[in-house]
Amino acid sequence: MSEIRNNTVLSGVQPSGDLHIGNYLGAIKNFVSMQNDYKCFFCIVDLHAITVKQDPKILKKNTLEVAATYIASGIDPKKSIIFNQSSVPAHSELAWIINCVTRMGWLSRMTQFKDKAGKDKENASSGLFIYPNLMAADILIYKATHVPVGNDQKQHLELTRDIAQKFNRDFNCENFFPIPEPIIDKDISRIMSLKDGNQKMSKSDLSEYSRISLLDESDQIIKKIKKAKTADTVMPEKIDDILKLSEVNNLLNIYSGFSGLEKQKLIDQYKGKTFSIFKSDLSDTLVERIKPITSEIKKLMQDKHYLLGILQEGRNKANEVAKKTINDVYDIVGLLRNET
Ligand code: TRP
């Protein structure tokens, strides 16, 4: 274990409000299991959030809410470094250098930009276009070796690897930036909408019934699962048949993610049974697992002072590492930093 502890993990969650079980299963839950084995940096990426319009007052509250969610989910601020991105200036400083390393062609292949910018690309912020460069800076500033991400961020991580390699090569500093490895939980990293199994669960979906928020009360959870789309059959017994029913497959992934039971085990248990039986057990599990997290988030949100203290402590620790890297980068690139 001590050997692994030399490896560094960095990941980030955007404070864009209403964290849901997709964020939890796809990201935060995995963070928790890593903190004994790696040196961990868990960032709240507020600078990424403002690549699209945010209400300034709500953004601050959302930033605290992500910190509260991290802690309520089991991230221990004594073991892991929790901080918000904008409080460590070296992220932005390195991002600029990376803007000058990344090629336009690389960025224009990013599918997330195409999705997020939608039809009106001319009107998207330039920040949204260079978003992946800032993400690469988040990772490389701590020389992270491993990055737990959802499937949708895989392309950005590949770009980060290309950036690290190009920097090392262009500036003749082999091994300066480690080439980070993604950690992707294939089974559950993509939690889909409860209404449409082909769409990702998203906070921007207009329907509340498409997602379960980590702040939902138990009766809301039960109601949402009751309304969730399934199929006009019973639970199939073959995984191939289940995969054809994307909404059912998604509910099984959610069940497996929260119960810790293997999907195949759940299929064996529910095959041939009606979906109402399955849903009722699923609701029970969700309520049992989510309720303690929800109440802890709410409790922590009452104690702003405590949360600010955690973020400050995290910032100080992160700054120490980040400053060293950015000083080395300035030196490598030939920027004169006339400091005493
Ligand atoms: N882009 C990521 C997302 O939306 C968030 C993020 C920002 C991130 N910086 C990161 C994830 C660095 C991993 C590592 O999910």
Side-chain angles (χ1 to χ4, degrees):
M1 174 180 130
S2 56
E3 197 188 313
I4 295 186
R5 186 78 177 150
N6 293 330
N7 287 331
T8 299
V9 153
L10 175 127
S11 201
V13 169
Q14 288 199 41
S16 33
D18 199 12
L19 290 185
H20 51 68
I21 59 171
N23 304 111
Y24 178 78
L25 290 181
I28 301 170
K29 179 170 167 256
N30 302 331
F31 300 172
V32 176
S33 63
M34 285 170 181
Q35 39 182 1
N36 292 328
D37 298 337
Y38 297 86
K39 183 174 169 76
C40 291
F41 293 85
F42 296 123
C43 190
I44 303 159
V45 291
D46 47 7
L47 295 172
H48 276 115
I50 61 166
T51 55
V52 297
K53 200 166 166 47
Q54 301 291 337
D55 177 334
K57 280 198 214 81
I58 297 176
L59 182 58
K60 285 187 187 165
K61 182 188 131 268
N62 286 345
T63 301
L64 292 175
E65 207 166 272
V66 177
T69 305
Y70 278 165
I71 299 166
S73 305
I75 294 176
D76 178 353
K78 292 207 172 62
K79 289 186 191 157
S80 301
I81 300 175
I82 300 174
F83 66 106
N84 61 313
Q85 190 184 30
S86 63
S87 72
V88 179
H91 288 242
S92 308
E93 292 176 294
L94 181 59
W96 179 259
I97 312 266
I98 290 176
N99 287 342
C100 304
V101 173
T102 311
R103 306 290 92 187
M104 288 292 282
W106 298 2
L107 282 176
S108 55
R109 284 192 279 277
M110 294 296 115
T111 56
Q112 184 166 352
F113 174 76
K114 293 177 198 164
D115 291 346
K116 282 199 178 175
K119 286 198 189 86
D120 196 5
K121 285 199 185 31
E122 292 289 306
N123 203 27
S125 73
S126 43
L128 190 65
F129 187 65
I130 55 173
Y131 173 120
N133 289 345
L134 177 60
M135 180 163 161
D138 299 338
I139 296 166
L140 299 178
I141 197 76
Y142 301 106
K143 300 190 175 177
T145 53
H146 295 83
V147 183
V149 284
N151 240 327
D152 61 323
Q153 296 298 315
K154 210 173 138 206
Q155 197 187 28
H156 290 162
L157 203 74
E158 275 156 16
L159 181 82
T160 304
R161 292 165 61 89
D162 289 343
I163 292 167
Q165 265 156 351
K166 182 163 166 61
F167 183 94
N168 291 348
R169 196 171 351 102
D170 286 359
F171 293 101
N172 245 323
C173 52
E174 208 189 332
N175 299 331
F176 178 73
F177 285 129
I179 313 303
E181 294 288 338
I183 302 180
I184 297 175
D185 190 332
K186 275 187 240 78
D187 285 342
I188 54 169
S189 61
R190 224 174 139 77
I191 297 300
M192 312 307 279
S193 157
L194 301 180
K195 297 189 77 172
D196 177 354
N198 297 310
Q199 295 242 318
K200 222 183 125 176
M201 185 174 285
S202 160
K203 43 197 153 205
S204 50
D205 194 314
L206 289 175
S207 171
E208 281 269 335
Y209 284 95
S210 68
R211 62 184 166 265
I212 292 174
S213 158
L214 290 176
L215 292 173
D216 278 348
E217 298 294 342
S218 306
D219 56 339
Q220 283 170 294
I221 296 177
I222 295 166
K223 212 154 105 191
K224 286 178 179 181
I225 291 297
K226 220 176 232 164
K227 283 205 165 204
K229 191 169 168 201
T230 49
D232 298 330
T233 56
V234 289
M235 178 70 80
E237 66 179 296
K238 291 207 189 87
I239 185 79
D240 287 349
D241 293 327
I242 285 170
L243 291 176
K244 283 179 212 146
L245 305 173
S246 51
E247 288 82 11
V248 173
N249 184 43
N250 185 43
L251 291 178
L252 277 165
N253 285 341
I254 293 172
Y255 201 162
S256 168
F258 276 100
S259 66
L261 297 171
E262 271 185 37
K263 206 159 138 185
Q264 188 57 51
K265 221 173 155 195
L266 292 170
I267 297 170
D268 292 342
Q269 189 176 336
Y270 291 102
K271 65 183 176 201
K273 295 196 178 149
T274 64
F275 287 115
S276 67
I277 295 178
F278 169 74
K279 279 181 166 183
S280 145
D281 290 353
L282 170 58
S283 292
D284 287 349
T285 300
L286 287 181
V287 168
E288 188 191 311
R289 290 300 165 114
I290 296 173
K291 208 172 165 185
I293 298 175
T294 311
S295 46
E296 189 62 18
I297 297 174
K298 288 184 176 162
K299 197 175 107 203
L300 288 167
M301 284 304 282
Q302 301 298 317
D303 196 349
K304 209 168 144 185
H305 186 74
Y306 170 77
L307 291 174
L308 288 171
I310 297 290
L311 290 176
Q312 198 166 34
E313 204 180 305
R315 176 194 64 197
N316 293 341
K317 288 186 191 158
N319 234 331
E320 231 172 86
V321 183
K323 262 194 171 157
K324 163 120 189 37
T325 309
I326 196 66
N327 282 341
D328 290 346
V329 167
Y330 273 42
D331 186 46
I332 289 169
V333 173
L335 300 171
L336 190 60
R337 190 165 259 202
N338 207 356
E339 275 179 4
T340 48

